[in-house]
Amino acid sequence: QVQLVESGGGLVQPGGSLRLSCAASGSIFSISAMGWYRQAPGKQRELVAAIFSGGRINYPDSVKGRFTISRDNAKNTVDLQMNSLKPEDTAVYYCNAVISLSASRPGSNYWGQGTQVTVSS
């Protein structure tokens, strides 16, 4: 069984910073990608940042220059440093990973439980 456990959400004022962390554990053979998504009330879940095993990183325009994703392959962790936060960044943030359980099985999507980020004065 694979688990993704997130930490680091909370309440922050506009312009402030937060750091989210996610650790994957269990019977993991390999992780091809890790990332963060968010979902605000009444909206669809959207990609915030993704980092792939080859080092490629994706950000949507809405967070470029403000958010930074980093990954520790040895520890199976992924962090998201969020700076210059805006009220529109308020959402539940979910950790995501594409994980293979063996060499013969393709990767599957796994999700964390979500952590609330609220940006408000």
Side-chain angles (χ1 to χ4, degrees), residues 2 27-32 98-103 105-108 110:
V2 172
S27 302
I28 297 170
F29 174 75
S30 67
I31 302 178
S32 57
V98 180
I99 297 174
S100 297
L101 304 184
S102 72
R105 295 174 64 177
S108 297
Y110 291 86

Side-chain angles (χ1 to χ4, degrees), residues 34-110:
M34 300 188 82
W36 293 90
Y37 287 71
R38 68 186 180 188
Q39 188 166 20
K43 294 189 176 182
Q44 288 189 328
R45 191 173 295 191
E46 62 176 359
L47 174 70
V48 175
I51 183 167
F52 300 86
S53 55
R56 180 168 60 92
I57 292 175
N58 284 349
Y59 300 107
D61 289 343
S62 58
V63 307
K64 272 182 186 175
R66 300 189 298 122
F67 290 10
T68 303
I69 190 171
S70 59
R71 178 178 169 180
D72 187 327
N73 292 327
K75 296 181 179 179
N76 290 334
T77 60
V78 62
D79 291 345
L80 184 69
Q81 178 66 40
M82 304 185 293
N83 298 329
S84 302
L85 282 161
K86 305 175 182 180
E88 51 264 43
D89 294 318
T90 295
V92 178
Y93 283 68
Y94 296 91
C95 177
N96 170 266
V98 180
I99 297 174
S100 297
L101 304 184
S102 72
S104 60
R105 295 174 64 177
S108 297
N109 264 312
Y110 291 86

